Structure formats: C-alpha cells, structure tokens
Amino acid sequence: MLELYTDRLKIRSLQQEDWQSFLSVHQDPRQNQYVRVPDGLEVLTDKFEQRLRPWRYESGDWLTLVIEEISTGEFIGFTGLYSVDLSLGQVEVGYMLAATGQGKGYGTESLKGVIDWACLSFDVHKFIGLCADQNQASIRVLEKCGFTHEGTLRHNYLLDGRWIDDRYYGLLASERS
C-alpha cells in the first residue's frame, strides 16, 4: 500500500472501506459541476472496483489516492495521476476534494506531495493539469504548485448541454519547487 505524508496530510492507496467517500464525492452535483454529470451507481461501482486493482505506472490507468488529515483522520478528498505518454514522460494529475476539505490549502499540499513522489519514483518530464475555465479553485491549486497556463482548449467537452473550455497547464519536473 502506498502512503505519502506532507505536513498535514496522509495520502494513501484507495481501499475497499473508502467506497462511501468515493460514492459521496462522485455523486455530488456541486463537486462535479466542472467535471461531469454524476455517474450512476453501476458506473461508479465499476470505476471504484477498477481503481482498487493493483496499479502500474505504465498501465495508462488512473492511480487514485485518498487524502486524509493526519491529526484527525478526516477524509479530505482524492488525488492521483496517470501516465499520458511513457515515451515523453508526461503525466496528468487530478484531484477532487470533499466540500469540507476545500479552501484550506489541502489541494495544493496534496498535489505537491504527489508530484514530489512521482519525480522520485518515475521518469517524469512534464506534469499536465486540465481544468474547466470557470473552476477558479482548481486554477489556484495548479498555479500555486508552479504550473503554467499553456493554453485554452475551447469547447473541449460537453457537460449537461453546455460547452466547457478547458485550461491546459504544464509543469516541467525540473521546474517544481
């Protein structure tokens, strides 16, 4: 089981007992307003079961990690990554915090921890972050972690009948602070 630690957070592998937290975050329309229309129970069950399987960097699958507050054990949210292109050393990162974990710097702290671990564990050249143009909180997390806005993908996906522009961010491993 993978366990990473930051000043305030424990970041660990997803486990079976995380199902209720996974379901709660992934079904909450407010949490998903910039990401997706919340999936149904069957789709989320399949997604959860897939993410419980042993993960390999080269698989192209998401590594889903649970974020917990060390002092209280409180569930904060999820973070993770996947290898977009092994030959180019490109990794996409992501995070989704529960409402109770937002606005406290946990997104930034957990993402920095995952980036540091990935740099030490794999041959990463570049980290990629995508977020909806309207998602100011996610934009702040990426920018606080040193990511540079490299462009906007206009009308990149359709969400509940609305076209969403995605901001494309990049961070070279050599640039991380």
Side-chain angles (χ1 to χ4, degrees):
M1 182 165 105
L2 176 63
E3 288 186 350
L4 310 172
Y5 291 88
T6 66
D7 289 343
R8 301 179 296 161
L9 304 174
K10 177 180 177 181
I11 304 164
R12 61 166 178 81
S13 300
L14 186 69
Q15 299 172 0
Q16 190 66 49
E17 54 267 20
D18 298 314
W19 167 242
Q20 286 302 321
S21 297
F22 187 89
L23 185 63
S24 174
V25 167
H26 285 82
Q27 282 190 325
D28 184 335
R30 191 163 164 266
Q31 300 298 109
N32 288 275
Q33 67 181 321
Y34 301 116
V35 182
R36 69 182 70 81
V37 173
D39 294 315
L41 184 59
E42 185 175 331
V43 171
L44 289 175
T45 300
D46 289 345
K47 185 182 289 189
F48 183 77
E49 292 298 324
Q50 186 275 326
R51 293 186 180 187
L52 280 176
R53 293 185 195 120
W55 178 83
R56 291 182 354 269
Y57 176 69
E58 63 277 358
S59 70
D61 294 329
W62 272 99
L63 169 63
T64 300
L65 300 169
V66 176
I67 308 165
E68 297 175 335
E69 215 281 331
I70 292 173
S71 65
T72 65
E74 178 186 1
F75 169 76
I76 302 298
F78 299 100
T79 188
L81 56 79
Y82 78 97
S83 175
V84 175
D85 189 320
L86 279 174
S87 65
L88 297 177
Q90 294 181 349
V91 171
E92 184 173 335
V93 295
Y95 40 86
M96 186 175 270
L97 303 184
T100 56
Q102 295 178 7
K104 300 173 183 173
Y106 292 141
T108 301
E109 187 173 335
S110 63
L111 183 56
K112 284 182 178 182
V114 167
I115 288 170
D116 287 345
W117 168 76
C119 284
L120 293 171
S121 302
F122 310 108
D123 189 20
V124 177
H125 174 69
K126 181 177 184 176
F127 293 93
I128 298 166
L130 291 168
C131 68
D133 193 48
Q134 300 86 4
N135 190 345
Q136 294 301 309
S138 191
I139 289 168
R140 280 191 304 276
V141 167
L142 290 168
E143 290 177 349
K144 285 180 180 179
C145 288
F147 282 75
T148 300
H149 180 220
E150 295 184 351
T152 300
L153 306 172
R154 298 179 314 137
H155 288 210
N156 199 42
Y157 64 98
L158 193 60
L159 177 62
D160 204 20
R162 299 174 291 131
W163 282 106
I164 302 295
D165 292 348
D166 264 338
R167 285 183 175 226
Y168 187 96
Y169 282 85
L171 173 68
L172 301 179
S174 61
E175 296 172 334
R176 77 186 205 285
S177 54

